[in-house]
């Protein structure tokens, strides 16, 4: 999947479901199936989790073009190459490392580096980055995002870190195109189908409502 298509999928979804920890292939498939049935189709495996490459491949092979599956917590070039060679639809990181940005962009894949300051955001955007992962914005809060976004509205932000249904709604209303959701949405890999379904429905409703309000505010 090229960078433009991956970005479009993330923007239209508004939700990137991240699986960190005990999410080997069988668990990743279980979680992805439940979330997909509830309207969430963008998934992020994590390099510091259990069998992340195998999990990513399993989800892509099982659900095909109905899902977009990327790799997160990519912190060195070897990890980036491994994920890209395995077919990652996008790469994200908690940090801004220009060498990784360049390596991913050279392959025509969407790169979302982690930024936390206006200087980092401007530097990454200047490299041609089209999606900035604002991290850890959940801990910093909506006021920080609003202050940062004010002069940077020409940039595209995905908000990550300590996210839940309430602050996801706030960040999207304030201008974020998507939110990366981890533990609040998918738990630790042991959650039942009913619990996953419940969280997914709450989040989808919150995000869709926020997107609708954000669109109306622009009219």
């Amino acid at each position: 999947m090229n960078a433009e298509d991956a970005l479009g999928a993330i923007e239209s979804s508004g939700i990137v479901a991240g699986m960190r920890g005990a999410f080997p292939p069988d668990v990743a498939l279980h979680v992805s199936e439940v979330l997909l049935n509830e309207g969430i189709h963008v998934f992020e495996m994590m390099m510091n989790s259990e069998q992340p490459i195998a999990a990513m491949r399993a989800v892509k092979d099982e659900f095909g073009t109905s899902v977009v599956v990327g790799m997160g917590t990519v912190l060195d070039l070897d990890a980036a190459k491994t994920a890209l060679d395995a077919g990652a639809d996008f790469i994200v990181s908690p940090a801004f490392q220009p060498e990784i940005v360049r390596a991913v962009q050279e392959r025509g894949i969407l790169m979302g580096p982690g930024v936390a300051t206006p200087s980092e955001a401007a530097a990454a955007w200047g490299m041609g980055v089209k999606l900035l992962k604002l991290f850890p914005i959940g801990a910093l809060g909506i006021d920080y995002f609003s202050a940062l976004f004010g002069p940077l509205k020409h940039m595209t932000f995905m908000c990550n870190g300590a996210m839940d249904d309430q602050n996801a709604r706030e960040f999207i209303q304030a201008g974020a195109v998507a939110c990366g959701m981890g533990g609040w949405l998918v738990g630790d890999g042991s959650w039942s189908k009913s619990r996953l379904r419940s969280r997914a429905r709450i989040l989808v409703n919150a995000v869709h409502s926020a997107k609708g309000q954000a669109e109306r505010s622009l009219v």
Side-chain angles (χ1 to χ4, degrees), residues 54-129:
M56 182 183 74
R57 285 299 333 161
V59 173
K60 288 175 66 69
D61 291 345
E62 179 68 20
F63 301 110
T65 57
S66 61
V67 297
V68 177
V69 191
M71 186 61 67
T73 319
V74 175
L75 292 168
D76 59 63
L77 287 172
D78 286 342
K81 183 178 185 302
T82 297
L84 291 167
D85 289 346
D89 292 322
F90 60 90
I91 300 291
V92 292
S93 171
F96 170 46
Q97 296 164 283
E99 67 276 14
I100 295 178
V101 172
R102 283 190 290 268
V104 175
Q105 290 177 329
E106 286 172 359
R107 299 279 287 268
I109 300 298
L110 180 67
M111 176 71 208
V115 300
T117 68
S119 294
E120 290 177 333
W125 197 256
M127 291 185 67
V129 168

Side-chain angles (χ1 to χ4, degrees), residues 169-184:
R169 180 194 298 270
E170 293 175 343
F171 287 123
I172 287 178
Q173 286 176 339
V177 300
C179 290
M181 306 293 298
W184 185 92

